[in-house]
Amino acid sequence: SSSPTIAVDRSNKAHLFWEEMTGCYGDYFEVYYQKINPTLAPEDGGAVDISQITEIPAKRLTQKDDCYDSWSPDAAIEEGCSSQRIDVAWKDSRYEWTDLFTRELDTEGNFVTEETLMTPSEYTDDYCYQNECSASISVGKGNVYIAWEGYNYNNYSYNIFLAQASKTEGDDNVGDACDSCAAGDDSIDSDGDE
């Protein structure tokens, strides 16, 4: 297990993503997900066995069984009035180049969207050269943003690139500001309580 990243929702539940060498005969990386509840840990501040605080056991996020790598995940939480969504991005070598993909989950670990290609899957000016393409993800107002380091063959240098994808409006108002939603939606008051 390596390259962990974590996103914490408004209920203080932690959504953990990492890469694990398990795919295709155990020689390729896949991205995994697990939901943990830190409030179940002892309050002494010491290390805890993650199995003692697990709400959703580890499950594979990347779903292809072909022999290629899916690795280096990054995750972000998108706030909604009545629900939250988790967007995760990762590097993937299923095509000839290293590309970046995203997928959306709800806070119970259910897949909301299929895997979405965020970078060109061909030789272009924003080519992700081999394993050197590093991604960062952020979400807001119904959009997902991915920034990455790519190699530009026009000027033979590394540059930073950005891709944006609009998200489809769901019936639970993910991406809307809470003050625009109907009264009675669960929201956080000034004390941080729901």
Side-chain angles (χ1 to χ4, degrees), residues 112-171:
V112 176
T113 64
E114 296 297 321
E115 297 174 356
T116 302
L117 176 66
M118 293 295 288
T119 53
S121 186
E122 57 192 34
Y123 173 80
T124 63
D125 290 346
D126 50 0
Y127 169 63
C128 293
Y129 181 70
Q130 295 178 0
N131 296 338
E132 298 174 4
C133 183
S134 299
S136 179
I137 187 170
S138 186
V139 292
K141 299 211 179 234
N143 295 305
V144 62
Y145 303 91
I146 305 287
W148 73 94
E149 170 191 358
Y151 191 75
N152 186 322
Y153 276 93
N154 286 332
N155 62 15
Y156 302 102
S157 66
Y158 286 95
N159 295 307
I160 302 299
F161 297 92
L162 176 71
Q164 172 188 338
S166 296
K167 299 173 75 156
T168 305
E169 285 287 326
D171 54 359

Side-chain angles (χ1 to χ4, degrees), residues 7-11 14 18 43 45 48 62 67 75-76 78-79 109 112 115 126 130 144 152 155 170 173 175 183 193:
V8 179
D9 67 28
R10 68 173 148 219
S11 299
W18 70 96
E43 294 187 21
V48 63
T62 48
C67 294
E78 183 174 8
E79 293 291 334
V112 176
E115 297 174 356
D126 50 0
Q130 295 178 0
V144 62
N152 186 322
N155 62 15
N173 300 312
D193 300 326

Side-chain angles (χ1 to χ4, degrees), residues 30-95:
E30 298 293 344
V31 176
Y32 280 78
Y33 163 78
Q34 184 171 9
K35 180 179 177 182
I36 57 176
N37 183 350
T39 63
L40 299 175
E43 294 187 21
D44 63 3
V48 63
D49 180 348
I50 199 167
S51 66
Q52 296 174 3
I53 59 174
T54 295
E55 284 195 2
I56 297 175
K59 73 176 190 176
R60 190 169 143 186
L61 174 71
T62 48
Q63 297 298 305
K64 304 295 183 197
D65 291 322
D66 298 331
C67 294
Y68 62 82
D69 286 311
S70 300
W71 73 106
S72 295
D74 191 28
I77 298 278
E78 183 174 8
E79 293 291 334
C81 294
S82 59
S83 68
Q84 297 172 302
R85 299 280 170 84
I86 308 154
D87 287 279
V88 60
W90 66 92
K91 294 193 283 189
D92 200 289
S93 65
R94 72 184 69 179
Y95 302 122

Side-chain angles (χ1 to χ4, degrees), residues 13-34:
K13 305 293 174 69
H15 303 270
L16 181 63
F17 299 87
W18 70 96
E19 65 189 31
E20 187 83 41
M21 188 171 277
T22 59
C24 189
Y25 311 110
D27 294 331
Y28 292 84
F29 285 108
E30 298 293 344
V31 176
Y32 280 78
Y33 163 78
Q34 184 171 9

